[in-house]
Amino acid sequence: MLALRLARGTHPLVLVRRLLVAAASAGVGFLLLCTLAYASTHPAYSTAAVLRLLWCFVPLAATVQFAVAVARTDPGTRPRSGLSAVGLGPVRLSLLAAVSTAVSCALGSMVALLLFLHLRGDLTGLPFDGAGAGLLNADAPLPMAAALLLLALAPVAAAAATAAALRTRPVQAEMPEDGTQDPMPDDQLPAPAAPPSGLPWGVALTAAGLAVEAYASRGGAGSPFPLPGRFDATPAWVLAGWSLTAIGLAMAGPGLTYLCGRLVQAARPGAVRLLAGRVLMDEARRIGRPLGAVCAVLSAGIAAFTLYGTGPRPFGPLTALGAVLVLGCTTATLLTSALEARQARAHTARALLRLGAPASALRATAALRAGVLLVVFAPITWAVAKLAALPLTG
């Protein structure tokens, strides 16, 4: 009930982000139901059904990541010292955020179920002259218990991840009534953030993923990089290799972002470069992992285009839906994390403006941060894509 009251009084942009989470959950639920329908219609092709289910976990992971990012930027569940006095500490607020996330994802799952049943003709007859009957395997009954179990994956996973991610957030002090905060004295500036420790492990996992993909391409029959729309070869090792590469890039993202901050501050930095580098170092953990995930998705897209860009596409509408979900959720997660970082340093920006810093300097700082991240991460994305596609094209 408290979650619903907070939802009614929240900002419209927060509601839009929650609706986007519900839409992503609906897309994942629709893919899972299509996998279940395929398995119930083709019991002899159990391996293909399992592989379809494994591919569905990629957009599921992207949706969970996006749901956690949206929950972190929700002002209604942000821990404050005043709320702790009435019993709403960080633990209870994390549970409240988990419940709100579960409600949004459950709404999307129910929409996916109704749409799936409608397109199959289980509610009011076949729509669109039965165009989707073959795609959704409408000739076999749908096991409702298994369908509800699959639809519960997104709400449960998103709620658990949200509760785990928000439980350890620091309590923020109450802001004054005029929305300002006293500027921090120059002699009390915080020390630079400690460097993230996941860069070596991220590089190792990325290399291991590329090696697994290269091993999977040897002596395989059919397509070297099969997608869920066609099962003329076994993509399990390819999926495992890409998963290792994605995890490695996500782990290496914070370390690379921290190194970008150190690079900006090198060789006698001015005020703009010093501020941009310090911000990148402080925000390395917050935006590094989403940035690494976006690099992994883009590298997979570049590799797929390298393999199939000039030939027939071996994928159908369900593969396209999964690709849109993964790319959209990872990009939205990065933008949401950037918004969270902007909210976290809002008081610092106001203090700098009160101290006389021009607004153009803050805009130049933001442009410099974006530019250096693009210069560092774009070649890495391109290199990983080419290394992943090289053994497959050979």
Side-chain angles (χ1 to χ4, degrees):
M1 184 61 66
L2 180 58
L4 294 177
R5 289 179 178 272
L6 291 176
R8 289 178 55 189
T10 191
H11 195 275
L13 290 179
V14 178
L15 293 178
V16 170
R17 290 197 292 266
R18 290 179 180 174
L19 290 178
L20 290 177
V21 172
S25 177
V28 172
F30 191 84
L31 290 177
L32 291 172
L33 291 176
C34 291
T35 301
L36 178 61
Y38 178 86
S40 61
T41 309
H42 305 85
Y45 298 94
S46 58
T47 302
V50 172
L51 292 176
R52 284 176 179 254
L53 182 61
L54 290 177
W55 277 105
C56 290
F57 280 102
V58 177
L60 175 62
T63 300
V64 170
Q65 184 189 28
F66 178 46
V68 172
V70 169
R72 290 180 65 93
T73 58
D74 190 350
T77 58
R78 189 172 302 161
R80 297 179 179 88
S81 57
L83 294 179
S84 301
V86 295
L88 291 177
V91 175
R92 289 195 176 184
L93 284 178
S94 65
L95 294 178
L96 180 62
V99 171
S100 299
T101 302
V103 169
S104 299
C105 293
L107 175 62
S109 297
M110 291 300 103
V111 171
L113 178 61
L114 293 177
L115 179 62
F116 184 82
L117 295 178
H118 175 66
L119 293 178
R120 278 172 51 97
D122 295 337
L123 298 180
T124 58
L126 285 174
F128 308 112
D129 297 329
L135 179 65
L136 303 181
N137 302 283
D139 53 343
L142 184 69
M144 191 55 62
L148 295 178
L149 179 62
L150 289 178
L151 289 176
L153 287 178
V156 172
T162 299
L166 303 188
R167 187 174 181 178
T168 58
R169 281 195 303 182
V171 178
Q172 295 182 353
E174 295 289 343
M175 297 291 292
E177 295 182 358
D178 58 355
T180 61
Q181 196 173 27
D182 293 336
M184 185 177 298
D186 294 336
D187 57 351
Q188 295 182 10
L189 289 175
S197 59
L199 182 57
W201 287 103
V203 174
L205 286 178
T206 302
L210 293 174
V212 170
E213 292 180 24
Y215 175 81
S217 65
R218 298 192 314 164
S223 174
F225 186 64
L227 295 172
R230 221 175 69 185
F231 288 99
D232 54 354
T234 302
W237 284 105
V238 175
L239 177 61
W242 183 84
S243 300
L244 286 176
T245 302
I247 295 174
L249 288 175
M251 290 184 63
L256 292 174
T257 305
Y258 189 89
L259 291 180
C260 289
R262 296 290 298 269
L263 178 64
V264 170
Q265 299 178 83
R268 296 182 180 180
V272 173
R273 289 172 52 197
L274 185 62
L275 181 58
R278 180 64 66 87
V279 170
L280 284 176
M281 293 169 65
D282 291 339
E283 297 176 355
R285 290 177 173 82
R286 182 179 286 116
I287 66 174
R289 284 189 175 86
L291 190 56
V294 171
C295 290
V297 173
L298 291 179
S299 64
I302 295 173
F305 182 80
T306 302
L307 295 173
Y308 300 116
T310 58
R313 270 68 170 176
F315 50 83
L318 296 182
T319 304
L321 174 60
V324 169
L325 282 174
V326 173
L327 181 59
C329 287
T330 51
T331 304
T333 300
L334 178 59
L335 296 177
T336 306
S337 300
L339 176 62
E340 180 190 6
R342 181 181 179 183
Q343 293 175 351
R345 65 175 185 272
H347 67 281
T348 303
R350 289 193 297 266
L352 290 174
L353 291 176
R354 286 196 302 270
L355 290 173
S360 59
L362 298 182
R363 291 192 294 267
T365 301
L368 181 59
R369 293 197 307 269
V372 71
L373 289 177
L374 181 63
V375 168
V376 172
F377 279 89
I380 293 176
T381 303
W382 184 262
V384 170
K386 290 302 180 181
L387 289 175
L390 182 61
L392 301 178
T393 54

